[in-house]
Amino acid sequence: GAVVSQHPSRVICKSGTSVKIECRSLDFQATTMFWYRQFPKKSLMLMATSNEGSKATYEQGVEKDKFLINHASLTLSTLTVTSAHPEDSSFYICSARDTKSLINRINEQFFGPGTRLTVL
Amino acid sequence: KNQVEQSPQSLIILEGKNCTLQCNYTVSPFSNLRWYKQDTGRGPVSLTIMTFSENTKSNGRYTATLDADTKQSSLHITASQLSDSASYICVVSASGGKLIFGQGTELSVKP
């Protein structure tokens, strides 16, 4: 149980195009999902918190118009990198918080396998 | 300032040997501490989660300890295998749900 998938696993695109990454919780409901970015040899950096049915909360320094987040259902959040540039090339990881874990206060988050974005 | 610091930054050991990774944190208010294993090009996978009242937790060959007084945690790996080569990340959850990530320890197990 508690599986989170991401699609695609890797994508290569031309500069100026937009890329959509999907994050799905496969066997649990997630009112909250998180989007992270990871550079080589570095730890995960939180970009935004995605809440089902409401606007995402972005971390300081993350452009909301650049990284569009939609959390339309309890099992799906999408991150769209708009007008991608080479500096957007990175490893993007999502995580989903099991709604039930709020009850036991563990705040369990399950991570997806990541999406490698390369912008040429 | 909430911070999680790990040591060593990297570690090379021979297959079959044991090793211990360290994590010091200054996170308040503290909720729980987790250790994750992240293989190259993959997402983190949870190894252990410990709350304030737990001193130790095991998951197979992985044993995590937590000293909430000194704000230190360790992850001990027994009888290492080649597949243990990965980045090990210590993550502290503050009350309210925010995760504070350590920079990770890169472990390489050599035959």
Side-chain angles (χ1 to χ4, degrees):
Chain A
V3 177
V4 175
S5 71
Q6 279 184 243
H7 178 79
S9 58
R10 57 177 64 231
V11 56
I12 301 173
C13 69
K14 292 182 179 179
S15 187
T17 59
S18 294
V19 175
K20 180 186 283 189
I21 303 170
E22 292 185 347
C23 177
R24 291 181 187 273
S25 58
L26 297 185
D27 50 4
F28 65 97
Q29 292 185 333
T31 50
T32 305
M33 291 184 175
F34 304 86
W35 287 96
Y36 296 86
R37 185 173 180 176
Q38 187 176 32
F39 292 103
K41 304 292 186 185
K42 299 291 185 183
S43 195
L44 282 71
M45 181 184 72
L46 180 65
M47 298 174 64
T49 301
S50 168
N51 297 295
E52 187 264 338
S54 64
K55 290 184 179 179
T57 304
Y58 290 82
E59 295 298 300
Q60 192 172 10
V62 178
E63 299 175 58
K64 61 180 68 175
D65 295 330
K66 172 76 172 175
F67 299 99
L68 299 179
I69 291 172
N70 184 280
H71 193 156
S73 76
L74 287 173
T75 58
L76 172 64
S77 175
T78 60
L79 168 69
T80 301
V81 183
T82 62
S83 187
H85 288 98
E87 57 264 31
D88 298 324
S89 298
S90 191
F91 193 53
Y92 292 87
I93 303 174
C94 74
S95 72
R97 183 161 69 195
D98 188 340
T99 302
K100 290 201 299 279
S101 80
L102 293 173
I103 299 172
N104 61 25
R105 293 156 59 190
I106 293 294
N107 185 32
E108 179 75 75
Q109 286 186 33
F110 301 96
F111 288 87
T115 295
R116 172 73 60 192
L117 171 63
T118 302
V119 185
L120 303 176
Chain B
K1 180 183 176 184
N2 288 332
Q3 256 183 319
V4 176
E5 294 188 357
Q6 293 185 241
S7 63
Q9 188 173 356
S10 62
L11 182 63
I12 300 174
I13 61 173
L14 292 176
E15 187 179 11
K17 298 296 185 182
N18 305 333
C19 67
T20 301
L21 314 180
Q22 301 291 343
C23 174
N24 296 335
Y25 63 91
T26 54
V27 176
S28 181
F30 174 89
S31 177
N32 56 73
L33 183 146
R34 312 113 181 267
W35 283 93
Y36 288 92
K37 178 187 179 189
Q38 185 178 22
D39 292 311
T40 301
R42 306 291 295 173
V45 174
S46 179
L47 296 176
T48 62
I49 298 177
M50 289 182 290
T51 59
F52 184 87
S53 59
E54 295 175 291
N55 300 114
T56 185
K57 184 163 279 190
S58 292
N59 178 3
R61 295 180 295 105
Y62 302 102
T63 299
T65 66
L66 174 64
D67 186 332
D69 291 330
T70 61
K71 294 184 169 55
Q72 295 179 324
S73 176
S74 67
L75 179 69
H76 186 74
I77 303 175
T78 305
S80 61
Q81 300 175 357
L82 298 179
S83 59
D84 291 333
S85 295
S87 179
Y88 290 84
I89 307 172
C90 175
V91 182
V92 178
S93 177
S95 297
K98 191 173 180 69
L99 297 186
I100 314 298
F101 287 80
Q103 77 275 31
T105 291
E106 195 75 30
L107 174 66
S108 181
V109 180
K110 301 292 187 185

